[in-house]
Amino acid sequence: MLKLHYNLEKISMGLVAAIILAASVGGIVEIAPLFTIDETVELPDDLRPHTPLELAGREIYIREGCYACHSQMVRSLADELDRYGPYSLASESAYDHPMLWGSKRTGPDLARLGEKYSDAWHVAHLINPRDVVPASIMPSYPWLTRSLDTELLSPSLATLAKLGVPYDEAMIAAAAADAAAQSRPDSDAMDGFVERYGERPAARDFDGDPSRLTEMDAVVAYLQSLGTLTDAPYQILTEGGQ
C-alpha cells in the first residue's frame, strides 16, 4: 500500500484524480441526504416563522458574530437535557437561512433561551456582560442602543419567502410597520401585527425605551424567541416519558 501511494505521488495527474475522487465521495455522502430532506423532516403544525423584528435581531446576532461562541443545538445527551431542556429537532430550523446550530461553545447553548431571563437582564448583559455575570468573557455591545434600520426588512422577507418561509405579500409589505408594532403593543398598528402573526410572538418594549425602535429591541426580541417557535421538542420529551 505504501509503495502504491509512493508511486501515485510521482504521477501528478494520477494524484489529482485520486484527490478529486476522494473529495467527490465525501461530497456525495454529505449532499445526497438533502435530496430527500422533504420526506425525512416533517414540519410541526405549530412552527411559526420569525417576525420582522426577530428577524432583524437575528441578522444583528449574525453581524456581531454571536454564533461563533454560542451554539443553538441541544444534543441528545443526558447532561445537555438536564441543563438546556429537550434536544433540538431538525424541523425547528426549517425556516432558518442560514442555520445557526454551531459547533463551539465559549458561552452556553442558546437554543432554549427564550423567556428564560427578563428583557432587562438581556439589555444589561449585552451592554456590559460583567454587570450580570461577573466572570463573563463576552464582549460588550453598547452600540446596540442605536436606532434600528428597517429599510431592508421587506426585501429580506421576500427573499426568505422564495426559499420556502411562509411570508405572504401582506407580511412582506408591512415588515417595517410590524417590527415597530411588536415593540409598541399599545399602538394602532398592533391589530395588523396580530392579524399577520397571531398572538404567540412576544409583543412589548424590549429595550426599556418605548420612545424609539433600536437594535437592542431587535436582538432581545430574537433572543426571547429562541426555543418558542414550536412546542414539538417538548411534546416529544413528554411522549417519551422523560
Side-chain angles (χ1 to χ4, degrees):
M1 181 62 72
L2 290 176
K3 185 176 181 180
L4 175 62
H5 190 275
Y6 177 73
N7 291 333
L8 182 60
E9 288 182 342
K10 293 191 295 183
I11 306 173
S12 59
M13 294 307 297
L15 182 59
V16 170
I19 292 173
I20 293 174
L21 177 61
S24 299
V25 172
I28 291 172
V29 170
E30 291 185 349
I31 295 172
L34 298 178
F35 292 107
T36 60
I37 194 167
D38 291 336
E39 301 173 8
T40 56
V41 178
E42 183 177 352
L43 295 185
D45 293 335
D46 66 340
L47 180 64
R48 71 167 179 86
H50 284 295
T51 65
L53 185 61
E54 294 165 355
L55 185 62
R58 188 175 193 272
E59 292 300 318
I60 296 169
Y61 178 95
I62 294 173
R63 182 194 75 193
E64 300 297 344
C66 304
Y67 61 88
C69 293
H70 294 282
S71 62
Q72 287 186 28
M73 185 176 71
V74 181
R75 283 71 165 175
S76 55
L77 303 173
D79 60 331
E80 298 222 357
L81 300 181
D82 290 341
R83 181 177 183 183
Y84 298 118
Y87 59 83
S88 296
L89 305 178
S91 57
E92 290 183 85
S93 302
Y95 298 152
D96 289 350
H97 300 280
M99 62 81 181
L100 297 176
W101 294 342
S103 60
K104 188 175 185 294
R105 288 178 181 166
T106 301
D109 185 88
L110 303 183
R112 306 280 175 247
L113 182 66
E115 304 299 342
K116 185 176 180 180
Y117 301 101
S118 69
D119 297 338
W121 187 95
H122 282 295
V123 172
H125 186 237
L126 288 164
I127 291 177
N128 183 16
R130 274 131 318 264
D131 285 345
V132 290
V133 183
S136 176
I137 60 172
M138 176 176 144
S140 301
Y141 299 92
W143 54 85
L144 295 182
T145 55
R146 63 191 176 193
S147 296
L148 176 67
D149 183 359
T150 60
E151 183 178 353
L152 294 178
L153 282 179
S154 288
S156 295
L157 264 66
T159 300
L160 290 172
K162 292 181 180 180
L163 295 174
V165 183
Y167 293 122
D168 58 31
E169 293 183 1
M171 290 175 170
I172 294 170
D178 285 339
Q182 187 174 1
S183 69
R184 296 175 177 81
D186 296 332
S187 67
D188 295 337
M190 189 60 191
D191 290 339
F193 174 82
V194 173
E195 180 181 348
R196 285 180 282 274
Y197 294 94
E199 297 183 354
R200 287 176 54 202
R204 55 183 182 259
D205 169 35
F206 293 96
D207 72 346
D209 181 4
S211 66
R212 62 195 186 104
L213 183 64
T214 65
E215 290 189 345
M216 186 68 75
D217 279 311
V219 174
V220 175
Y222 171 65
L223 294 175
Q224 296 290 31
S225 76
L226 294 177
T228 71
L229 303 184
T230 174
D231 289 331
Y234 298 93
Q235 293 172 0
I236 291 177
L237 193 63
T238 301
E239 292 170 359
Q242 298 185 44

